[in-house]
Amino acid sequence: MSPFLQTAIEAAQAAQKVIQRYYRQEIPVELKADQSPVTIADVETEKTIKGIITGAFPAHGFFGEETGHSTGSAPYTWLIDPIDGTKSFVRHYPFFSTQIALMHTRELVMGVSSAPEFEEIAYAEKGLGAYLDDKPIRVSGVDAFSDATLSLGNIKTLAGSDRWEALGSLVRQVNRTRGYGDFYHYHLLASGRIDLVVESDVNILDIAALAVIVREAGGVFTDLDGRELTLETTSVLAAATPALHARALDLLKGA
């Protein structure tokens, strides 16, 4: 475990303490410019994470959901979503997590996904495999729609797009369809319990760490056009196997 990953896990554990102090409390909710909610829990959690990371790596850049983007003198940038799933958090259901990723130049190289109410933490470093609660995890070997479980997330924009009919075709062809959403369907995908994820209306802070985890577990993780993730990415097509990913991509791009 590298110093990067050790620091990220330490920050995630500290974040969990802040989050659990506020969870299920009736705290004020404000709306940001994009109409997404933010609370004192989000802000305090990010400050806690940032303090630990910048204390260990003061020359690194930092891109946080609440505190914005600062460029360091080193070629590393930390991507942080302190509470991914604030809407869940404020409505008191457990589909929220802390997402911490590290980017070296333009490449995602490390990710930690901590889900306090599920009492689980997933993490991975490039080339070193993926883990869930300190146990190695691996995607399934499913490569056919007829055997695949699909999970959908944030599909509002897809419902109004020319991909909607193609998505319907995909739903008809897979074995099962669920909507686990947020961090959870990526934890399930990386550990071999589902096989395919389609999601829109995301930002890179939501998915950066999860992309590293899924890839290191053997999966494929791109946007809905099959492109590599960037800071501007807004959608996901993630699959257990290259064959399954290719079939889904062909179907969705053929819309």
Side-chain angles (χ1 to χ4, degrees):
M1 187 180 293
S2 72
F4 299 142
L5 182 53
Q6 290 174 350
T7 299
I9 290 175
E10 178 187 349
Q13 291 170 338
Q16 178 174 335
K17 294 178 182 178
V18 178
I19 289 168
Q20 290 179 327
R21 189 165 72 242
Y22 285 106
Y23 186 50
R24 299 191 187 280
Q25 303 299 314
E26 297 299 330
I27 56 178
V29 180
E30 299 180 4
L31 294 178
K32 295 186 282 190
D34 64 359
Q35 298 303 298
S36 62
V38 62
T39 71
I40 187 174
D42 297 86
V43 175
E44 283 197 18
T45 302
E46 185 163 313
K47 287 180 178 178
T48 297
I49 295 169
K50 187 174 184 179
I52 291 171
I53 290 173
T54 57
F57 305 106
H60 289 192
F62 191 91
F63 184 9
E65 178 75 18
E66 312 306 335
T67 58
H69 196 175
S70 60
T71 302
S73 58
Y76 289 96
T77 300
W78 293 82
L79 309 179
I80 311 298
D81 194 337
I83 303 180
D84 178 41
T86 300
K87 291 179 181 178
S88 302
F89 179 82
V90 299
R91 295 198 67 179
H92 304 158
Y93 63 96
F95 285 87
F96 59 86
S97 64
T98 294
Q99 298 294 316
I100 302 174
L102 181 62
M103 180 177 280
H104 180 252
T105 58
R106 296 181 179 273
E107 183 181 20
L108 293 166
V109 296
M110 188 276 301
V112 172
S113 174
S114 171
E117 289 301 300
F118 283 71
E119 297 184 343
E120 66 182 47
I121 183 168
Y123 57 87
E125 290 185 272
K126 185 182 177 184
L128 297 177
Y131 296 81
L132 180 63
D133 295 332
D134 298 325
K135 296 179 181 179
I137 52 175
R138 189 76 183 169
V139 294
S140 75
V142 170
D143 58 11
F145 288 158
S146 58
D147 297 321
T149 295
L150 164 70
S151 183
L152 302 172
N154 296 332
I155 60 173
K156 183 176 181 178
T157 57
L158 291 181
S161 76
D162 57 4
R163 282 194 171 107
W164 189 238
E165 186 175 343
L167 182 61
S169 177
L170 178 60
V171 168
R172 289 191 295 273
Q173 293 182 62
V174 297
N175 184 270
R176 303 179 79 193
T177 303
R178 294 292 183 264
Y180 295 110
D182 298 300
F183 76 93
Y184 192 52
H185 48 198
Y186 299 109
H187 284 205
L188 294 175
L189 175 62
S191 54
R193 291 175 285 174
I194 67 171
D195 314 295
L196 190 61
V197 174
V198 171
E199 188 160 26
S200 63
D201 304 307
V202 298
N203 69 60
I204 190 62
L205 303 181
D206 301 329
I207 58 172
L210 295 160
V212 179
I213 293 164
V214 169
R215 289 170 175 173
E216 284 301 309
V220 183
F221 200 113
T222 69
D223 74 0
L224 282 171
D225 291 307
R227 296 175 300 206
E228 180 54 70
L229 305 187
T230 70
L231 295 180
E232 288 73 44
T233 294
T234 60
S235 65
V236 173
L237 175 60
T241 60
L244 191 63
H245 183 274
R247 291 187 176 100
L249 182 63
D250 286 345
L251 179 60
L252 293 171
K253 288 187 73 172

